[in-house]
Amino acid sequence: SNAIRIFAYESAKSTIEGTMGQMAMNITRSVNALINTERYAELKTPEDMEKEYYKELRQEFVKIKETNGLKYLYTMNKNEDGTIYYCVDGFPLDSEDASLLGDVEEDISEMMFLALEGEEGYELYDSEEWGTLISGYVPIVGSSGEVLGMMGADFDAEFMVKELAKANKEMLVIG
């Protein structure tokens, strides 16, 4: 019946989303644990890209992104006027996809905002610019408990969405 087919589809979607979301969270938490928050707090302006710690962190992110099959790996900060900008990302600097320290991001989801306020979580996120992503976010918290920024890890979920759509069509044929 149709109700069973819809239930099976929704159930599969939520299982895959949950599994990929947890994977994104695990990576985000473990990468976040590598961050030296005192040194991270000093990365504020494009000039800070010359600092040794920025270069080290960026190289580390590039490796982690490739090793884990992530589409994106990055940190974002919010300045006093509420502007949200990239700090470190997981693309080599010579990549056209690289975000530089200070690049402003306007396309911010509710979950990203929450991470910048100190919450953690994951979401299936659909963006005109970035595509369909499963993203995990954790706050980067300094030694005295202040939120310095947030870490994000994104898996490409286009494949998952296409496979589910295909399975849904096949269920239609069978049903």
Side-chain angles (χ1 to χ4, degrees), residues 6 18 27 35-36 45 52 83 105 113 115 120 150 158 165 168-169:
I6 291 166
I27 291 167
I35 293 178
N36 175 326
T45 66
E52 204 48 52
T83 305
E105 181 55 74
F113 273 119
E120 64 170 45
M150 72 102 180
E158 296 284 342
N168 198 25
K169 274 191 190 132

Side-chain angles (χ1 to χ4, degrees), residues 92-109:
L93 277 173
D94 57 4
S95 163
E96 61 184 40
D97 291 317
S99 293
L100 306 178
L101 176 51
D103 284 359
V104 173
E105 181 55 74
E106 311 269 328
D107 189 1
I108 301 293
S109 74

Side-chain angles (χ1 to χ4, degrees), residues 13-155:
K13 180 179 178 218
S14 119
T15 301
I16 293 167
E17 197 177 311
T19 304
M20 288 180 79
Q22 283 309 317
M23 283 170 57
M25 290 304 298
N26 291 340
I27 291 167
T28 317
R29 286 186 193 117
S30 54
V31 176
N32 197 16
L34 302 173
I35 293 178
N36 175 326
T37 55
E38 274 176 42
R39 292 176 78 189
Y40 181 84
E42 295 168 3
L43 306 176
K44 291 182 178 349
T45 66
E47 293 75 46
D48 294 331
M49 290 172 62
E50 295 305 313
K51 290 185 175 171
E52 204 48 52
Y53 188 62
Y54 178 86
K55 293 174 186 171
E56 280 171 31
L57 210 47
R58 188 168 196 116
Q59 283 177 328
E60 195 64 37
F61 278 25
V62 170
K63 276 191 279 191
I64 293 166
K65 180 178 144 312
E66 287 170 6
T67 310
N68 290 286
L70 294 167
K71 189 167 184 181
Y72 303 108
L73 179 66
Y74 51 90
T75 67
M76 288 178 160
N77 301 347
K78 184 167 67 170
N79 63 22
E80 295 76 33
D81 69 3
T83 305
I84 296 170
Y85 62 94
Y86 286 96
C87 187
V88 182
D89 95 343
F91 281 101
L93 277 173
D94 57 4
S95 163
E96 61 184 40
D97 291 317
S99 293
L100 306 178
L101 176 51
D103 284 359
V104 173
E105 181 55 74
E106 311 269 328
D107 189 1
I108 301 293
S109 74
E110 184 66 25
M111 199 65 241
M112 290 166 138
F113 273 119
L114 289 172
L116 286 162
E117 297 298 318
E119 304 279 317
E120 64 170 45
Y122 68 87
E123 65 185 345
L124 179 65
Y125 184 56
D126 240 330
S127 157
E128 289 272 318
E129 193 174 352
W130 314 117
T132 306
L133 305 168
I134 292 256
S135 305
Y137 308 110
V138 296
I140 299 167
V141 181
S143 53
S144 58
E146 75 286 14
V147 177
L148 302 172
M150 72 102 180
M151 149 97 32
D154 304 337
F155 281 106

